Amino acid sequence: MQERDSYDIQAVQEKWLPVWDEIAPFRSGRPDDKRPKKYVLDMFPYPSGDLHMGHAEAYALGDVIARYWVQKGFNVMHPIGWDAFGLPAENAAIKRGVDPAAWTYENIAVQKASMRRYACSFDWDRTFNTCDPEYYKWNQWIFLKLYEKGLAYRKDSAVNWCPSCQTVLANEQVVAGLCERCDTQVTKKKLNQWYFKITDYADRLLDDMEQLEGKWPEKVLTMQRNWIGRSTGANVQFAIEGRSEPVTIYTTRPDTLFGATFFVVAADSALAEELATRSTPEVASKFAHYLESVKSASDIDRLATDRPKTGLFLERYAINPVNGEKLPIWASDYVLADYGTGAIMAVPAHDQRDLDFALAMKLPVRVVVETGEEDPTLTGVATSGDGNLINSGALNGLTKEKAIAAIIKQLESDGLGKAARNYRLRDWLISRQRYWGTPIPIVHCAKCGEVPVPESELPVKLPPAGSLDLSPKGKSPLGAASNWINVPCPRCGASAQRDADTMDTFVDSSWYFLRYASPNESARAFNDEDVKTWLPVDQYVGGVTHAILHLLYSRFFTKALHDMGLLDFTEPFTRLLNQGMVVMAGSAMSKSRGNLVRLSDELGNHGVDAIRLTMVFAGPPEDDVDWADVSPSGSVKFLSRAWRLAGDVTSPPGVDFSKGDSALRRATHKALHDGAFAVESFRFNVAVARMMELVNATRKAIDSGCGPADPAVREATEAVAIMLSLVAPFTAEEMWERLGHTPSVALAGWPTVDPTLVKAESVTAVVQINGKIKTRIDIDPEITDAQFEELALADPSVREALTGKNIIKVIARAPKLVNIVIQG
RNA sequence: GCCCCGGUAGCCCAAUGGCAGAGGCAGAGGACUUAAAAUCCUCCAAGUGUGGGUUCGACCCCCACCCGGGGCACCA
């Protein structure tokens, strides 16, 4: 037999694609499917071009998981779609004059074809794109539901503004205080915008993370906790001289109230403006000046860590409610207008920022907690430790914790304050002055105000881009579509205007995982029965770049929809796996760096299977893959080695494995057992190593062991094909066929592991004396500690070593080792 | 500055507190070949970032520090 010792990679790829199209091994089961369900989800891609190395890694990993559960007998839903709205489509339109829709759908077609060639195990019957009107109709519907519940609202607020581009910028588009596009200094501009009230859910978003503990990467949970940033403390009312209303401040350290020596209001707050205006004319004029300088301070300055404190004394006073002291009121930009109440009591002895300010402005410092540290006035370092309270009236002698409880109780009974919480989390600004997004389904009427578009009129479709000028002008291009924007008010019929803004594309991705359950449902956003069947997502796979926003928004949507009675669960993603990035020689790939590795080149050079294998084998999935450190040609070599086994097997399909060579059978069952365990623990690189071991063992058995006709060789080779189908589907399919089976190997099923074969027949155990290895003995793995100890002590070399020595202690850990501790 | 995750052969990475090595890359030697490629076989190498501690026993647990990566950073 003169077989070629390798196979034609490209030909094999072409051969199987149409077969798989026909079999559709990954079409999710029908409702009467008896297999248990599993929902495996990859984060859907943005169609900005063809797939790249990052996609190749992510989808290879997601595929291992999806294909594994199929082999394990689960009814797996593994869908894909496109996050198709967004700026790149519009930028392409502006730059090259193409239609954003046409550009987007073309890219989707390219990516879809590439995914098929990459052998992604997606259920192709469930795809959709967020820019399809059939999808964004339900964005609008959800918006209206949130609006009904008071969770969508409009307000004026200061947003990032580029004076040169004349547009609002997302935070991500502001790089070091400059517009990422033109390097102009970004300023703030007050605009009326739509928000989702995610802050209503702050506590639940935080507390429900307990359910995710151990199932999501700890890193992501930490980032979300930081982002939500809950703090506990108290709100305290301070009377203001010459003002009828008191001002409430928020503090996390109400125990230090007696240490307050001044009072600060955010320079850009309405309160500062009011206090200054009603002060002396000099102060009012100085304040106007100061405010101007604050506003023009760039984010670069603001972000500087040791930026000197600035501020202005307003010549007004607040009264400390606990001791009646007059505290001078200052305006400063180190207090934020949109956190807490925009006003604070300053306790310089125990807060570094307040101390910095006090030292700069020569304000007094009063220590009220004895922490044993040095005097803050001398060291310039505020003390934050625990200790007994001093200079604090009734609180004297109490610890920090007890003092906080006591003062809150006191304030509450005096009606001057109460316990309070605050969050770093802000409401979610969803308005975008852009064309390629979901239109906000609101009509503005001079008489009726904001009027929701009736559900029966959804979707509010985007007008064709054709005649619109999409270049950023600071207001939505949709405003110029006069046929579109001018509509009768749904309530009174008078002429009115549609809201010209579109939604943040994060809205689209906040519920797409629900839509996959019933992608063609036309009467509802999602079908309850199907959602009950499939959701929540059992396994979510995606990059850590979405650790905060996308995942937080999706969790928020899920909870809000749950509260509307539309879902019966509160967390959308049961388990989460973050894959790393693909980098080149230590740095992120980019065209400008000249280190870009093209996926199409790699696929052409090594084939799909080898690239997938390389991605999976490179290391733990959450680590970055450095393309300079991996060897796709090594992967090709291994795959050929595996493939060659299939050609060497001479026993017929269906042969009774039980009579096969027992050593190889043990190796096979151990590989199946350990490989499955590794996959379930996301240690895919280890699973591949197990496959390599089995291939090596089988090779050896064929060449210099039991020979190619032994049934164990067939069993081992079939196991290799099945395990390999998770990673290298073309090679696995080819092997399966050579072994005399019909496609698809993807549906072959994970062989049942025989527990008696997983255990070794005998193991080599170690006998130590005082922790040093004395000898090795072969034992039965089932041996008890006592038997093991007896055997060890009976060993001649051990006996010799123990002659005349005192045995203090014997530690037996069957079937691993015995350690004999002796005197001396 | 604070928090998290890493540091194991030349390289990428494995090791429920129990023989430091599973797998791969690179390297060396050999078999096959007229030769090379491919293939097959064999070999090579670190005592686990540093210093302490706990333990019969530590890559693993604890403390301090060094290095690398990531997150947060006027949120009162």
Side-chain angles (χ1 to χ4, degrees):
Chain A
M1 185 170 72
Q2 267 316 88
E3 287 270 9
R4 290 167 41 182
D5 58 10
S6 187
Y7 58 99
D8 182 340
I9 293 168
Q10 303 299 334
V12 163
Q13 287 174 190
E14 291 310 317
K15 169 181 165 188
W16 288 108
L17 289 174
V19 177
W20 293 338
D21 289 343
E22 183 69 28
I23 304 174
F26 301 106
R27 181 176 291 147
S28 333
R30 312 211 167 267
D32 59 348
D33 199 311
K34 290 281 185 289
R35 296 174 294 169
K37 315 278 193 302
K38 245 331 150 190
Y39 184 176
V40 178
L41 182 63
D42 291 291
M43 288 183 184
F44 63 171
Y46 184 84
S48 55
D50 201 352
L51 300 183
H52 52 67
M53 296 296 280
H55 293 117
E57 190 203 356
Y59 297 137
L61 295 174
D63 241 38
V64 172
I65 297 173
R67 287 168 175 271
Y68 172 75
W69 289 116
V70 170
Q71 294 286 24
K72 277 288 192 174
F74 283 77
N75 178 12
V76 173
M77 177 164 89
H78 185 210
I80 193 72
W82 279 270
D83 190 12
F85 272 138
L87 277 181
E90 244 171 290
N91 291 339
I94 294 160
K95 226 161 131 184
R96 303 203 291 276
V98 294
D99 178 53
W103 182 88
T104 302
Y105 283 107
E106 269 165 39
N107 282 336
I108 289 171
V110 168
Q111 288 197 348
K112 192 172 179 179
S114 295
M115 287 170 176
R116 173 176 170 268
R117 284 196 301 277
Y118 196 62
C120 291
S121 64
F122 296 133
D123 179 347
W124 297 110
D125 293 343
R126 292 184 185 269
T127 61
F128 59 81
N129 315 304
T130 58
C131 64
D132 299 339
E134 297 76 28
Y135 183 84
Y136 70 71
K137 169 181 182 174
W138 301 110
N139 272 351
Q140 295 171 336
W141 181 81
I142 291 171
F143 177 97
L144 293 177
K145 287 285 159 198
L146 293 171
Y147 184 77
E148 259 174 45
K149 302 279 173 201
L151 292 170
Y153 69 98
R154 275 201 310 167
K155 72 172 177 192
D156 285 318
S157 106
V159 295
N160 299 312
W161 176 260
C162 173
S164 155
C165 298
Q166 285 289 295
T167 187
V168 170
L169 299 176
N171 284 335
E172 301 78 39
Q173 293 170 305
V174 183
V175 179
L178 303 179
C179 171
E180 67 164 357
R181 192 195 304 233
C182 66
D183 283 348
T184 307
Q185 218 170 75
V186 173
T187 61
K188 297 279 179 182
K189 188 176 180 177
K190 283 233 163 167
L191 282 178
N192 191 260
Q193 307 269 290
W194 284 98
Y195 289 82
F196 284 159
K197 214 169 179 184
I198 191 171
T199 51
D200 270 13
Y201 284 81
D203 279 323
R204 285 167 64 190
L205 287 168
L206 197 63
D207 296 337
D208 286 357
M209 266 188 267
E210 222 170 278
Q211 300 173 34
L212 306 175
E213 206 69 59
K215 298 175 182 167
W216 280 33
E218 197 51 48
K219 185 177 162 185
V220 174
L221 295 177
T222 305
M223 284 166 75
Q224 293 219 352
R225 286 194 184 101
N226 287 342
W227 187 262
I228 295 166
R230 179 164 71 193
S231 75
T232 57
N235 283 334
V236 186
Q237 285 180 17
F238 281 68
I240 307 291
E241 274 191 0
R243 189 180 195 264
S244 54
E245 287 296 307
V247 169
T248 301
I249 59 102
Y250 172 73
T251 176
T252 55
R253 294 292 304 276
D255 56 314
T256 63
L257 256 167
F258 287 88
T261 54
F262 57 102
F263 193 93
V264 189
V265 295
D268 52 344
S269 65
L271 178 62
E273 178 91 40
E274 179 215 301
L275 292 174
T277 315
R278 302 200 181 156
S279 183
T280 65
E282 289 81 18
V283 167
S285 130
K286 276 190 202 158
F287 175 77
H289 247 94
Y290 177 61
L291 184 59
E292 209 42 55
S293 76
V294 166
K295 276 187 174 161
S296 67
S298 70
D299 280 2
I300 299 177
D301 299 333
R302 280 183 159 270
L303 289 173
T305 40
D306 47 4
R307 179 167 171 253
K309 295 276 186 285
T310 61
L312 178 73
F313 178 40
L314 298 180
E315 296 180 20
R316 304 282 303 263
Y317 294 90
I319 309 300
N320 189 334
V322 295
N323 57 14
E325 279 182 12
K326 273 172 69 171
L327 305 177
I329 301 178
W330 288 68
S332 174
D333 66 349
Y334 88 90
V335 171
L336 306 177
D338 60 349
Y339 182 81
T341 60
I344 62 153
M345 67 167 188
V347 184
H350 307 296
D351 181 286
Q352 190 59 47
R353 297 152 302 183
D354 295 344
L355 182 61
D356 293 343
F357 193 83
L359 295 177
M361 304 302 165
K362 308 216 173 357
L363 294 162
V365 176
R366 184 191 304 149
V367 174
V368 290
V369 185
E370 244 174 0
T371 64
E373 292 160 86
E374 282 180 68
D375 184 352
T377 322
L378 303 176
T379 60
V381 179
T383 68
S384 57
D386 201 355
N388 289 335
L389 274 282
I390 52 171
N391 300 326
S392 296
L395 300 180
N396 282 342
L398 297 178
T399 61
K400 178 168 153 181
E401 202 179 322
K402 285 189 173 145
I404 289 175
I407 192 71
I408 287 176
K409 201 171 163 201
Q410 184 62 46
L411 289 166
E412 279 175 353
S413 70
D414 293 347
L416 290 169
K418 57 181 179 190
R421 283 173 170 181
N422 251 307
Y423 305 88
R424 213 189 74 110
L425 181 71
R426 303 291 199 274
D427 277 340
W428 173 12
L429 191 165
I430 63 146
S431 303
R432 295 290 181 273
Q433 292 72 45
R434 286 297 190 153
Y435 169 77
W436 193 232
T438 305
I440 291 173
I442 293 285
V443 171
H444 299 282
C445 170
K447 207 166 85 191
C448 310
E450 50 192 45
V451 181
V453 172
E455 215 178 299
S456 60
E457 288 175 27
L458 299 182
V460 176
K461 284 196 198 173
L462 282 172
S467 56
L468 298 175
D469 173 16
L470 300 185
S471 58
K473 295 172 295 296
K475 53 185 185 182
S476 172
L478 291 175
S482 50
N483 289 339
W484 181 87
I485 197 117
N486 293 306
V487 289
C489 168
R491 194 165 294 159
C492 72
S495 68
Q497 277 81 45
R498 290 194 187 283
D499 198 297
D501 287 350
T502 52
M503 297 182 204
D504 181 3
T505 55
F506 274 113
V507 175
D508 313 350
S509 54
S510 292
W511 67 280
Y512 78 110
F513 46 90
L514 301 172
R515 184 72 183 169
Y516 283 130
S518 50
N520 302 311
E521 171 67 60
S522 57
R524 284 167 291 183
F526 44 86
N527 176 302
D528 297 347
E529 281 308 304
D530 293 330
V531 164
K532 268 207 179 78
T533 300
W534 291 109
L535 275 286
V537 174
D538 293 291
Q539 180 63 59
Y540 201 22
V541 181
V544 74
T545 42
H546 295 108
I548 300 175
L549 296 183
H550 163 59
L551 292 171
L552 195 68
Y553 294 154
S554 297
R555 297 181 61 224
F556 160 58
F557 261 48
T558 300
K559 289 172 201 304
L561 293 169
H562 169 267
D563 291 353
M564 294 173 196
L566 296 168
L567 298 175
D568 60 4
F569 53 92
T570 55
E571 285 293 337
F573 312 121
T574 307
R575 282 165 74 89
L576 174 68
L577 173 67
N578 283 135
Q579 90 274 359
M581 294 188 307
V582 183
V583 301
M584 186 61 193
S587 46
M589 293 187 197
S590 76
K591 225 179 236 169
S592 55
R593 261 202 198 86
N595 65 349
L596 197 72
V597 179
R598 288 170 49 119
L599 176 60
S600 54
D601 293 347
E602 297 301 304
L603 294 176
N605 291 339
H606 309 288
V608 169
D609 280 353
I611 297 309
R612 292 171 56 121
L613 178 70
T614 303
M615 294 289 185
V616 168
F617 185 56
E622 57 275 10
D623 288 5
D624 288 349
V625 175
D626 193 328
W627 209 246
D629 291 336
V630 298
S631 170
S633 58
S635 298
V636 172
K637 208 165 98 180
F638 165 67
L639 291 171
S640 309
R641 229 167 116 73
W643 174 87
R644 249 179 277 118
L645 295 177
D648 289 347
V649 171
T650 54
S651 58
V655 68
D656 181 5
F657 295 148
S658 66
K659 298 195 176 60
D661 178 76
S662 94
L664 183 57
R665 294 206 71 205
R666 286 176 192 285
T668 302
H669 284 256
K670 191 147 175 26
L672 287 166
H673 175 268
D674 293 358
F677 182 69
V679 169
E680 290 187 34
S681 341
F682 300 147
R683 284 148 60 239
F684 308 124
N685 54 327
V686 177
V688 171
R690 296 291 163 266
M691 298 178 204
M692 290 173 167
E693 268 179 290
L694 183 55
V695 167
N696 291 344
T698 312
R699 179 81 263 153
K700 203 166 212 162
I702 292 171
D703 288 349
S704 56
C706 58
D710 193 288
V713 169
R714 167 167 285 275
E715 184 183 32
T717 307
E718 291 190 353
V720 168
I722 291 165
M723 288 194 278
L724 213 48
S725 77
L726 313 187
V727 185
F730 292 104
T731 308
E733 201 74 88
E734 196 67 18
M735 286 178 73
W736 199 239
E737 187 185 54
R738 294 183 103 199
L739 286 165
H741 295 294
T742 51
S744 167
V745 66
L747 302 174
W750 199 263
T752 307
V753 173
D754 182 343
T756 62
L757 289 174
V758 173
K759 290 187 198 109
E761 236 165 350
S762 79
V763 292
T764 304
V766 174
V767 181
Q768 298 179 330
I769 292 178
N770 283 351
K772 291 213 171 72
I773 295 162
K774 183 69 199 167
T775 185
R776 294 178 169 82
I777 53 178
D778 282 347
I779 55 161
D780 181 330
E782 299 288 284
I783 198 170
T784 65
D785 282 351
Q787 291 169 324
F788 186 25
E789 180 176 331
E790 205 176 309
L791 268 181
L793 291 170
D795 184 273
S797 66
V798 174
R799 290 173 71 114
E800 191 191 333
L802 293 179
T803 319
K805 300 282 167 53
N806 272 341
I807 298 177
I808 294 169
K809 187 177 188 181
V810 180
I811 297 118
R813 290 284 181 275
K816 295 275 189 177
L817 65 68
V818 170
N819 187 13
I820 302 160
V821 185
I822 58 175
Q823 210 166 42

